[in-house]
Amino acid sequence: MNFRPLIWTLLAIAYLGIRFGFTRQLDEIGAYTAYIMEVALVVIAIAIEGRTFFSRFAIRRSMALFFPLAALGGFAAFKLAGFSGISIPFDLSGAETLIFLLVVAPILEELVFRFFLWQPVESLTKKPVLALVVCAALFSYSHFHPIWFLPPELASFLTYQTAYTFVLGLACGYWVWRGRSLAGAILTHFFFNLGFYLASLA
């Protein structure tokens, strides 16, 4: 009997319970505790997947047309916030923020939401399109979740961020659903964030 789907599902449930149920406690341990936990779980998931994990990084020609659109989407998301009177609460000039925006987020978030959490949903439902929607919703909620403990003045941005990250999650998930390519998801996320960053300079 293959226990991999069961192990994967239990790990995913444990992750979601800890990540969203004990956010403050994770932050109290250290600023990067949640990231360390996510890296550990992704490494475990890669070990469970085995050699086939690396086949998920195919680059397809059709992606080349999509990435400029992703960058344009990030640029528009930033500018639309300004037009709507929503202030961006990030210091995009800081090196640490830039590293998280352009390196850590595209790689780690896609491995968490389009690989680690995607696999149990797809294996349980046998419907990749449902995995796409569920993982996009979880990805979006992860950006909304801080609303429960951050100052009320950030509520408008967090709500706005929830909307555009759901669309981003669907776009990233498209490559995993149709192209079986984590590379497509990571690069889409990267170009969106790059567009967001470039808009802050314009």
Side-chain angles (χ1 to χ4, degrees):
M1 185 175 177
N2 183 7
F3 289 102
R4 290 196 330 177
L6 176 62
I7 294 168
W8 208 312
T9 301
L10 291 174
L11 284 172
I13 291 169
Y15 164 74
L16 292 171
I18 295 168
R19 181 68 178 80
F20 297 131
F22 299 92
T23 307
R24 286 185 179 177
Q25 290 85 344
L26 288 172
D27 289 343
E28 286 170 6
I29 294 170
Y32 302 113
T33 305
Y35 293 109
I36 293 167
M37 176 184 70
E38 288 174 346
V39 168
L41 288 172
V42 164
V43 168
I44 292 169
I46 291 169
I48 292 171
E49 179 76 359
R51 292 179 185 176
T52 58
F53 169 76
F54 298 99
S55 67
R56 297 172 179 270
F57 286 86
I59 304 282
R60 291 172 171 70
R61 247 182 238 175
S62 56
M63 293 177 182
L65 296 173
F66 195 81
F67 298 145
L69 292 176
L72 187 61
F75 193 95
F78 185 95
K79 291 300 183 183
L80 186 58
F83 294 144
S84 305
I86 299 170
S87 62
I88 307 293
F90 309 129
D91 176 15
L92 293 173
S93 64
E96 184 179 0
T97 303
L98 202 55
I99 289 168
F100 272 87
L101 188 71
L102 299 180
V103 180
V104 176
I107 296 172
L108 185 57
E109 289 183 350
E110 291 312 309
L111 288 175
V112 168
F113 290 97
R114 253 61 68 179
F115 172 64
F116 173 68
L117 294 174
W118 183 291
Q119 296 308 307
V121 176
E122 185 175 1
S123 66
L124 288 172
T125 65
K126 309 299 182 193
K127 295 179 179 177
V129 69
L130 185 59
L132 184 154
V133 175
V134 168
C135 290
L138 289 171
F139 174 65
S140 178
Y141 178 74
S142 73
H143 291 79
F144 178 77
H145 182 68
I147 202 168
W148 307 118
F149 47 86
L150 287 181
E153 55 266 26
L154 295 177
S156 60
F157 172 74
L158 291 171
T159 303
Y160 175 67
Q161 184 178 229
T162 301
Y164 75 70
T165 52
F166 181 69
V167 176
L168 175 60
L170 292 175
C172 293
Y174 171 83
W175 293 113
V176 178
W177 171 46
R178 300 297 291 176
R180 312 307 290 177
S181 175
L182 275 169
I186 291 168
L187 289 169
T188 297
H189 197 150
F190 166 79
F191 278 104
F192 181 92
N193 285 7
L194 178 63
F196 195 90
Y197 170 68
L198 292 176
S200 72
L201 303 177

